[in-house]
Amino acid sequence: MSLSHHAAAPSGSALARHDWTRAEVRALFELPFPDLMYQAATVHRQNFDPSEVQISTLLSIKTGGCPEDCAYCPQAARYDTGVKAEKLMALDTVLAEAAAAKAGGASRFCMGAAWRSPKDRDIESVCAMVEGVKALGLETCATLGMLNREQAARLKESGLDYYNHNLDTSPEFYGEIITTRTYEDRLDTLDHVRNAGINVCCGGIVGMGENLADRVGMIATLASLPQHPESVPINMLVQVEGTPLAAKVAPMDPLDFVRTIAVARICMPASMVRLSAGREDMSEETQALCFLAGANSIFYGPKLLTTPNPGRDSDMKLLVKLGLRAME
Ligand code: SAM
Ligand code: DTB
Ligand code: SF4
């Protein structure tokens, strides 16, 4: 395993536990808030410089028209969300966006496609993008849906550093959110990515109407993977009109979101925990608590895939205000 990446080395080592029981994870969620924050901040400091935040920028390289039924997603063709289906973006457009992301201060560029799974010719196009983005001096990440073994190997060959594929929620709640692919399918893709030697980025979404047991189940499943994901995105549901969930669930209590970040940090001590979607609707105070709870990565730039994210200026001001700096 390469030791060059800050988080990659310790996540597979004896320091990180892979046998978290649900009872233990639940007990963390149920700690008094100050105790939970203290433990999470302590674990964060044992593994990272708490004043550093890794900065990733997202680009939707293939938007909308997706055949899947993920109840949260504005890009599913079956929901009327106003997102138009587009073709795969041209290589030079992607490279221009990547150069702008680098100039803006990002160290990682993440390319997302609204596919159930890529076709082999799509993989070739994405590999060319990966090569080009890497040549700009950025780390590369892609999220393209389910992969088979050969596709993962081909992406690795092109130099892909990370693959994002989320478990999204607990195995029990999963069927309420997605019916067009199984939890097992997701675990298989994660296996292919891991076996190809690509770093794994895997997390989930909270605020989808799940209960505490589901948040526990999601974190326990992530923390029981044979090797912890190097990157763990924790998304707060972005409610998009037209998606089934937007009509159904009440917004989540921000302090419960902070708790989820803290528990992820404690259970996966050496992973980068990303405060992901949902920041546009979050106060500065909530975000500050997330950093205190051990979040050490964000998406930076005014757009996630299809929904808004805070602007670069306001984010830079927030980082400066909190005395945080971008990780190299
Ligand atoms: N189509 C691919 C897939 O599903 O694997 C890749 C792109 S998909 C948009 C990547 C992830 O974005 C999803 O797994 C989900 O966790 C997250 N996501 C999508 N819509 C979201 C929303 N409205 N709020 C929060 N997270 C969302
Ligand atoms: C992840 O966990 N969150 C990002 C990234 N992986 C690809 C996506 C968030 C998408 C939010 C809804 C949208 O902008 O379409
Ligand atoms: Fe498609 Fe991914 Fe959205 Fe699900 S999350 S509908 S697979 S783009």
Side-chain angles (χ1 to χ4, degrees):
M1 191 188 355
S2 156
L3 294 182
S4 63
H5 186 265
H6 192 178
S11 61
S13 78
L15 289 174
R17 282 182 54 192
H18 298 262
D19 58 352
W20 285 96
T21 65
R22 290 199 179 199
E24 287 174 316
V25 177
R26 176 182 273 269
L28 291 173
F29 270 102
E30 288 176 341
L31 280 173
F33 191 78
D35 291 344
L36 175 59
M37 295 300 278
Y38 181 71
Q39 268 200 43
T42 304
V43 169
H44 188 192
R45 271 151 206 276
Q46 285 164 351
N47 290 277
F48 294 97
D49 177 342
S51 56
E52 284 191 346
V53 176
Q54 191 278 330
I55 289 186
S56 294
T57 290
L58 273 172
L59 178 68
S60 180
I61 58 169
K62 155 70 184 86
T63 303
C66 184
E68 301 293 273
D69 71 350
C70 312
Y72 49 76
C73 188
Q75 303 200 69
R78 67 190 72 202
Y79 311 134
D80 190 6
T81 63
V83 172
K84 276 210 330 266
E86 288 170 17
K87 287 195 312 212
L88 182 61
M89 210 177 251
L91 176 61
D92 53 354
T93 315
V94 173
L95 296 185
E97 293 280 350
K102 178 156 167 102
S107 64
R108 188 179 307 166
F109 191 66
C110 179
M111 295 167 272
W115 287 319
R116 168 178 166 79
S117 54
K119 299 190 181 72
D120 288 346
R121 70 159 190 277
D122 297 326
I123 291 283
E124 288 312 310
S125 308
V126 174
C127 286
M129 294 173 188
V130 169
E131 282 163 20
V133 172
K134 256 187 113 69
L136 294 170
L138 284 158
E139 288 185 316
T140 52
C141 178
T143 180
L144 315 171
M146 292 186 284
L147 296 183
N148 62 34
R149 191 177 303 278
E150 294 70 33
Q151 291 175 324
R154 178 67 190 97
L155 286 166
K156 170 68 183 172
E157 197 182 76
S158 76
L160 185 69
D161 297 302
Y162 288 80
Y163 194 79
N164 166 245
H165 198 64
N166 291 337
L167 289 179
D168 277 350
T169 187
S170 68
E172 293 78 16
F173 191 60
Y174 183 85
E176 305 281 315
I177 303 296
I178 299 146
T179 70
T180 49
R181 70 171 73 155
T182 66
Y183 212 73
E184 208 43 54
D185 288 332
R186 290 185 183 256
L187 292 168
D188 288 347
T189 293
L190 292 170
D191 256 2
H192 298 323
V193 170
R194 181 57 85 200
N195 292 336
I198 301 172
N199 290 307
V200 172
C201 171
C202 180
I205 313 178
V206 286
M208 298 196 294
E210 73 286 343
N211 59 28
L212 174 61
D214 296 313
R215 286 177 203 152
V216 169
M218 176 177 89
I219 304 274
T221 308
L222 289 167
S224 312
L225 290 171
Q227 198 176 333
H228 292 169
E230 279 74 18
S231 212
V232 180
I234 304 291
N235 297 276
M236 161 112 82
L237 175 70
V238 180
Q239 297 205 356
V240 179
E241 213 183 305
T243 59
L245 286 184
K248 205 159 86 182
V249 300
M252 182 182 190
D253 183 333
L255 291 178
D256 287 335
F257 184 78
V258 176
R259 280 183 185 275
T260 311
I261 297 264
V263 175
R265 164 54 63 221
I266 295 168
C267 295
M268 292 168 280
S271 301
M272 308 294 296
V273 174
R274 183 170 310 118
L275 162 54
S276 303
R279 289 197 304 113
E280 177 72 345
D281 297 321
M282 239 176 247
S283 70
E284 291 194 339
E285 292 84 347
T286 299
Q287 295 184 61
L289 283 173
C290 289
F291 292 125
L292 186 59
N296 60 351
S297 171
I298 55 168
F299 287 124
Y300 182 63
K303 207 167 163 197
L304 292 165
L305 290 171
T306 65
T307 64
N309 197 41
R312 289 201 171 90
D313 287 355
S314 67
D315 266 352
M316 222 10 102
K317 274 196 200 124
L318 177 61
L319 294 184
V320 169
K321 214 197 258 197
L322 298 177
L324 298 174
R325 54 176 195 278
M327 209 175 272
E328 285 301 310

